[in-house]
Amino acid sequence: MKLWHDAWEQFTPFLAWDKEIRKIICTTNAIESLNVRYRGAVNARGHFPNDQAALKCLYLVTRSLDPTGRGKARWAIRWKPALNAFAIAFDGRINPAENN
């Protein structure tokens, strides 16, 4: 059985990131969860007559996760501090079009 202190050397670089970046890294599980739901919906349907039908299926799965439509505001609130921290940590690499 591996204990947490056995993997401490692999974990400590994570602690070097800003708090905002660490928070976003830990929330990528939500993205993985969405991918699982997409795969489940596509596998349950099996076949789509065209691309429009496939996109509608994925849209409906996405809407079922946020029926009120407030998810975009929550996303912006959560990601804005992290994007600012990434912009500082990776100067000139986050929004290269703005630097031209």
Side-chain angles (χ1 to χ4, degrees):
M1 177 168 96
K2 273 208 159 221
L3 300 174
W4 64 270
H5 54 77
D6 293 337
W8 189 250
E9 288 183 30
Q10 288 80 25
F11 180 68
T12 52
F14 173 75
L15 298 175
W17 293 105
D18 289 340
K19 176 182 135 187
E20 293 84 7
I21 295 173
R22 290 193 313 261
K23 185 176 178 183
I24 290 301
I25 290 171
C26 291
T27 60
T28 55
N29 287 337
I31 296 168
E32 293 171 13
S33 174
L34 183 60
N35 285 332
V36 167
R37 290 176 188 245
Y38 283 161
R39 281 193 305 270
V42 169
N43 288 337
R45 178 74 167 103
H47 172 75
F48 296 98
N50 55 38
D51 289 346
Q52 186 70 21
L55 288 175
K56 182 177 180 180
C57 176
L58 297 178
Y59 171 78
L60 292 173
V61 168
T62 305
R63 288 293 301 174
S64 72
L65 299 173
D66 184 26
T68 63
R70 295 189 190 133
K72 185 175 181 181
R74 286 192 311 261
W75 182 90
I77 290 168
R78 265 185 264 153
W79 274 86
K80 187 64 176 170
L83 289 175
N84 290 335
F86 276 123
I88 292 168
F90 299 103
D91 189 28
R93 292 177 56 191
I94 298 298
N95 294 319
E98 293 178 2
N99 295 331
N100 291 336

